Amino acid sequence: MTERILLDPHSPDLRAQAEELRRLGPVAPAEWPGGVRCWAVVGHPELETVLADPRFARSPAHWRALRDGEIPLDWPMLAHLTRRWMLTADGAEHRRLRQAVSAAFTPRRVEGLAPAVERTVGVTLDALEAGARGGPVDLRAAYALPLPLRTLCALFGIPPEDRPEIARLVGRAFSRAALRPEESARLTRDINAYLADLVRGRSAAPADDLVSDLLRGDTERLTEAELLDTLWLFLGAGFETTAGALVNTVHALLAHPEERERVVSGRVGWDAVVEEGLRYDSSVYALPFAFPTEDVELGGRTLRKGDALLLCFAAANRDPRHGTGRFETLPAGGRARQLGFGHGPHFCVGAPLARLQLRTALARLFERFPGLRLAGPPGPPVPSLIASTPSTLHVTW
């Protein structure tokens, strides 16, 4: 019988879980909670192939086990896989959904947001400093989470009083693998209800925000379901993953003082820090699923048409065949390419905004608090198989 690794969203060490998968090869047999079998793609070149090769699709219509009735209809992750969004679309449908939002995230338009991001970082740093009162403070709760949340709420026109609810919904969604079916169903209802109210409000009173732009459909008009799912994709992916990347990179810098010194002395730029942070400790652990559209040989395995492939970004970024297990802030020509934003047609459309927020947040944090240091070990990972970040990171200065 083939050895199969049981994936655990409550694992105290997601890196160790990834290495356990790697022990079985670059494409490893695994099982998602709920008894769902899959292949975990943990090798860097193998994951690049899956992300870019048209023989691998993202639509669950290609999933043999789902088509054959082997997947329970109340399996929590079906709420992720059956959304009408870019993550689970292919070909012309994917291009149409992507075109509807890509204009909002071009590098030029994102750079125009730089002054607003600077102001948001400044306000968040002021609150961080005031909340510390001379003692340790949880950087995740006081800085990493509020910053992208404020940025995204401004982009979507979401009022400040709704930020706690958005944070709750996103946090629950990233922990969906740890939820019971009834909890997952309730979460989906809550998400859909909030977004439907938001869209109704903008339909009645358009404003200068992304929701109103999508309703106008200047580039591509979306159906109501596509609009709600696209809004949720950007709220979820743009908030929790950016916050996790900020926490992970700060922790890496504080745990590697020689690399921190290279950066604060100006020998290495903050762009290099962002890229290495995304490679060394990706805030996206994995995404389900991709599906071969024909029988394929990959990583020494024979994959059958319709198999489920788990996209293991964090593990692939640490593939010893591709890069190093050390945190090294090297200039562009000397560092290994990271897959934190994906690769190929599904490369993250929000990557320019995430990079802007991360380099601004990191630079201003270390400028404001040159004596920043860890006040204890990071907390246990958030319970998830999608997000990879500690639940707390206490610092002082």
Side-chain angles (χ1 to χ4, degrees):
M1 180 179 294
T2 301
E3 181 181 2
R4 191 172 294 275
I5 302 299
L6 300 178
L7 303 172
D8 180 8
H10 297 286
S11 170
D13 190 343
L14 287 173
R15 283 188 188 171
Q17 183 169 260
E19 290 307 313
E20 188 179 9
L21 289 165
R22 197 188 309 285
R23 178 176 57 82
L24 300 182
V27 180
E31 185 174 312
W32 191 278
V36 175
R37 294 188 168 190
C38 60
W39 295 100
V41 185
V42 297
H44 192 282
E46 289 78 12
L47 183 55
E48 276 195 326
T49 297
V50 172
L51 294 173
D53 192 319
R55 293 177 299 169
F56 297 93
R58 301 294 281 273
S59 169
H62 297 276
W63 191 5
R64 188 179 63 256
L66 180 63
R67 189 174 59 245
D68 293 348
E70 299 174 11
I71 307 302
L73 294 181
D74 63 352
W75 183 56
M77 290 308 297
L78 276 184
H80 168 89
L81 290 167
T82 55
R83 290 273 186 182
R84 295 294 303 276
W85 55 18
M86 291 181 287
L87 289 181
T88 55
D90 301 297
E93 183 183 12
H94 172 258
R95 290 190 293 273
R96 180 179 66 83
L97 293 171
R98 188 179 179 96
Q99 183 181 8
V101 297
S102 59
F105 294 98
T106 62
R108 175 176 293 183
R109 185 161 184 180
V110 167
E111 284 301 323
L113 297 173
V117 171
E118 287 276 5
R119 288 192 298 271
T120 302
V121 168
V123 168
T124 311
L125 281 172
D126 290 343
L128 171 68
E129 187 169 18
R133 297 185 179 90
V137 61
D138 179 8
L139 190 81
R140 172 177 163 83
Y143 189 54
L145 289 174
L147 175 58
L149 182 60
R150 288 169 174 163
T151 300
L152 284 169
C153 285
L155 189 64
F156 281 76
I158 294 173
E161 59 268 23
D162 285 0
R163 290 174 190 163
E165 177 65 1
I166 293 295
R168 183 189 73 83
L169 293 174
V170 171
R172 295 283 283 171
F174 271 79
S175 298
R176 200 185 283 271
L179 299 182
R180 296 189 299 273
E182 63 273 18
E183 293 174 321
S184 177
R186 184 166 60 250
L187 172 63
T188 298
R189 290 193 297 270
D190 290 346
I191 291 168
N192 290 342
Y194 180 85
L195 292 175
D197 284 345
L198 180 65
V199 168
R200 279 194 293 269
R202 284 304 176 282
S203 297
D208 183 19
D209 56 44
L210 183 57
V211 178
S212 299
D213 289 348
L214 291 174
L215 281 168
R216 282 195 298 269
D218 294 337
T219 56
E220 186 70 43
R221 186 168 294 279
L222 302 176
T223 67
E224 182 179 357
E226 290 169 345
L227 175 59
L228 295 181
D229 289 351
T230 296
L231 292 175
W232 179 242
L233 172 61
F234 281 101
L235 279 173
F239 167 40
E240 183 71 30
T241 58
T242 302
L246 181 54
V247 170
N248 294 355
T249 305
V250 170
H251 178 241
L253 283 169
L254 296 182
H256 297 81
E258 71 287 353
E259 296 299 327
R260 170 182 173 167
E261 174 57 29
R262 282 163 51 81
V263 180
V264 298
S265 66
R267 285 179 286 163
V268 174
W270 286 106
D271 284 333
V273 177
V274 169
E275 298 306 310
E276 177 61 0
L278 291 167
R279 184 202 69 82
Y280 175 76
D281 197 1
S282 173
S283 62
V284 179
Y285 183 73
L287 282 179
F289 288 122
F291 311 96
T293 57
E294 59 186 68
D295 291 354
V296 175
E297 296 288 331
L298 184 72
R301 304 284 187 179
T302 299
L303 307 179
R304 293 180 56 206
K305 178 181 178 180
D307 280 350
L309 308 183
L310 182 64
L311 311 175
C312 297
F313 294 96
N317 276 337
R318 299 285 291 272
D319 187 342
R321 299 174 301 161
H322 174 71
T324 173
R326 300 186 301 275
F327 178 73
E328 296 180 309
T329 54
L330 300 174
R335 62 174 179 263
R337 186 171 63 257
Q338 57 88 12
L339 296 174
F341 290 123
H343 177 66
H346 286 268
F347 184 82
C348 176
V349 72
L353 179 59
R355 285 182 164 124
L356 170 64
Q357 292 182 90
L358 288 169
R359 69 172 180 261
T360 306
L362 289 164
R364 300 299 170 260
L365 175 68
F366 283 90
E367 286 173 6
R368 175 77 72 95
F369 307 115
L372 191 70
R373 63 186 187 278
L374 293 171
V382 297
S384 179
L385 289 173
I386 296 178
S388 176
T389 189
S391 53
T392 60
L393 187 70
H394 286 92
V395 299
T396 189
W397 52 82

